[in-house]
Amino acid sequence: MKASAFAYARATSVENALELLADQGDRAKVLSGGQSLMPAMNLRLISPELVVDIGGLAELRGIAVKEGILTIGALTRHVDLLKSTEIAVHAPLLADAVTHVAHPAIRNRGTIGGSLAHADPASELPACMIALAATIIVRGPGGERRIAAKEFFTGIYATAMSPQELLVAVELPVAPKGSTHFFHEFARRHGDYAIVGLAAQAVINDGRFADLHLGFFAVGDRPLLAGAAGKLVNVAVTPAVLSEALSALADELDPQEDHQATPAMRRHLAKVLLVRCVAALLCRPELDAGALV
């Protein structure tokens, strides 16, 4: 199947892209890397009247660090994240996660902004954004808006952006001293859509979590910043404490059933990932006993 007929416009600047979007409203779609948009159009899941190509806007590319903030332009490709020294040093969770995004051909074209705007609940990068306390920067007719990542994703393929707005950048606080991270996903094959995944960022002091953000994905209609993390912060993590956190996590999950897994399977795998995450980050393999889940 091929896409239905559409008009095409190549934006010459961010301002020009916004003018095109303002004129067409929800009849237009933005093309960046195209790795999510084009398959959806070819399957006729969406049928825009106008495709606004922003791929040539150099102003939306690049990675920079200034005053404790890591800024990533929306058109920065996945492969650029993998090659970046700044990402490796200041946001290593993101570097680890990108290796799980599809396959090299996709990573060579796909962009961070496209992934976030697409808002696939099984995608790795949205979960990383909530775990890293990112700020999503969008621009529209009313000017620039800054949206906390945990508020940006509103449902399946849905975000807090309006059709007239454009995602232009992402800001992340640089990883603080003593921080560490965990990333793992269950998938049938490497590069396939995740069945369940977890992106975690933590600060550890004297064998305890001083801070812990757990970003689960493929467990609901959007990435989940798990409140269960609060059960594990500033306490000595014992099997009993971990069991309480697992119960709290189970109450938060709202997994869907599809051809890959049942809700019960997803709940079980999410709990497995939490146990593995805690054991790995605290360097306490005895916690990963299996009997807890």
Side-chain angles (χ1 to χ4, degrees), residues 26-115:
D26 58 8
R27 299 186 299 275
K29 287 292 183 183
V30 174
L31 172 66
S32 52
Q35 302 307 295
S36 299
L37 178 66
M38 298 314 298
M41 289 176 60
N42 286 338
L43 291 170
R44 301 205 177 185
L45 299 175
I46 56 173
S47 297
E49 295 180 15
L50 173 68
V51 170
V52 179
D53 186 351
I54 63 170
L57 303 184
E59 61 193 290
L60 296 184
R61 291 194 182 90
I63 301 167
V65 181
K66 184 179 180 180
E67 298 179 352
I69 298 296
L70 176 65
T71 302
I72 307 171
L75 289 184
T76 303
R77 298 172 302 160
H78 302 320
V79 68
D80 298 325
L81 299 175
L82 282 172
K83 294 178 179 179
S84 167
T85 301
E86 289 87 354
I87 296 294
V89 172
H90 299 296
L93 169 62
L94 198 54
D96 280 359
V98 172
T99 65
H100 294 265
V101 175
H103 304 284
I106 302 297
R107 296 195 291 269
N108 286 339
R109 294 291 300 169
T111 64
I112 186 171
S115 176

Side-chain angles (χ1 to χ4, degrees), residues 129 133-137 146-149 169-173:
M129 293 301 111
T135 298
I136 312 297
I137 303 173
R146 303 168 64 82
I147 308 170
V170 175
E171 288 184 351
L172 308 169

